[in-house]
Amino acid sequence: MIDLTGKRALVCGSTQGIGKASAMILAQQGASITLAARNEDTLKQVLKELTTAANQKHDYIVADFNQPEQLKKNVETYLSGGNEFHILMNNSGGPPGGEIVNAKVEDFLLAFQRHLICNHTLSQLVVPGMKKNKYGRIINVISTSVKEPIKGLGVSNTIRASVASWAKTMSFELAPFGITVNNVLPGSTDTARVEEIMKNTSAKTGKTPEAVKADMISKVPAGRFATADEIAYAVAFLASPEAAYINGINLPVDGGRTGCL
């Protein structure tokens, strides 16, 4: 059984979907959770849902990933109170869909800032504490497009690949300090993000949402979408002491959809 008692995790995008599921499951494994998202009312609600069976103390940071400087300031303030993180889960909603030839430069810049720059900023802030404790797990939730670009997600494909390369590079540098850096690549997961993609595809193709969903599921050998919990369990394992020798990987959690090795 995974035991994260005594560990504190900063879980980003943790008021819904994969982020919320990960916060819940990490708490079930004994970790103390710091939620991070931009809606304080929702943060307070999720905070009440986290188990404290291991006598954890959970809290939250209000953070808008469209404002990296404010994000940095808020986390710096939190850390200045003597807090440290053993686990960082970088997770933020993906860029809007669309063909890459039609993407605006501003679309790339915003997505780059939201994903890579914010991930980098948070990592720089938490790594000193991880080094001191000789324990660190940086887990980035990105996409299977890292391995196989997904049609109609031009900006996302581009930015997700840059995050994967950044993470791999950092994994080399931090491994000597007992810190691992890994990426979880969700396939189609039953979240608001996939609902949005299906809705957009339906509008563009004229297919019903049900037909779009059936088409997506037909490409998954498992024959269904993932649940958010199934992604979260992969996150929890990579956050654990048992995963100490797993570093710099891209782990698809996609029911076998990704065709490459």
Side-chain angles (χ1 to χ4, degrees), residues 113-194:
Q113 171 181 279
R114 186 173 190 177
H115 295 276
L116 195 141
I117 298 302
C118 287
N119 288 6
H120 184 66
T121 297
L122 290 174
S123 297
Q124 285 187 317
L125 291 173
V126 304
V127 159
M130 291 178 174
K131 285 183 175 180
K132 188 181 82 171
N133 289 299
K134 298 181 181 179
Y135 188 101
R137 303 287 186 267
I138 298 174
I139 303 158
N140 309 295
V141 178
I142 41 183
S143 168
T144 57
S145 65
V146 166
K147 288 181 171 287
E148 287 186 348
I150 300 171
K151 292 180 180 179
L153 294 178
V155 174
S156 181
N157 292 341
T158 305
I159 300 304
R160 302 297 198 181
S162 69
V163 172
S165 184
W166 162 82
K168 184 68 173 178
T169 304
M170 193 162 60
S171 73
F172 301 145
E173 300 175 2
L174 295 182
F177 303 99
I179 302 170
T180 64
V181 185
N182 292 297
N183 303 319
V184 172
L185 315 181
S188 296
T189 307
D190 192 10
T191 62
R193 167 67 171 168
V194 167

Side-chain angles (χ1 to χ4, degrees), residues 186-231:
S188 296
T189 307
D190 192 10
T191 62
R193 167 67 171 168
V194 167
E195 288 291 336
E196 178 188 357
I197 291 172
M198 290 190 296
K199 182 179 178 180
N200 292 339
T201 302
S202 175
K204 289 176 182 178
T205 63
K207 295 181 179 179
T208 65
E210 293 76 16
V212 172
K213 183 175 183 178
D215 184 56
M216 292 175 69
I217 289 176
S218 72
K219 296 178 173 63
V220 182
R224 62 177 178 86
F225 287 170
T227 66
D229 281 359
E230 288 173 316
I231 311 301

Side-chain angles (χ1 to χ4, degrees), residues 8 26-33 51-58:
R8 176 161 289 279
L26 289 170
Q28 290 170 16
Q29 308 303 332
S32 294
I33 307 300
T51 181
T52 55
N55 297 314
Q56 307 103 304
K57 292 184 179 180
H58 308 304

